[in-house]
Amino acid sequence: MPVLDPNPQNGQKKLLLVLGAMLGISVVIAVIATIASP
């Protein structure tokens, strides 16, 4: 299973979605922490 498949299957798409969600959540947490800090 190659890391970069030119034609991704369902599992790879789901993995990409999970990674993207984790990245997005961490960015949101960082923004909230920046705003909350005095």
Side-chain angles (χ1 to χ4, degrees):
M1 181 177 158
V3 177
L4 279 177
D5 202 347
N7 201 2
Q9 306 292 356
N10 258 348
Q12 216 168 5
K13 237 183 253 180
K14 196 179 287 184
L15 184 73
L16 203 70
L17 196 73
V18 169
L19 285 173
M22 280 164 51
L23 192 72
I25 289 169
S26 56
V27 166
V28 168
I29 290 174
V31 169
I32 291 173
T34 305
I35 293 171
S37 65

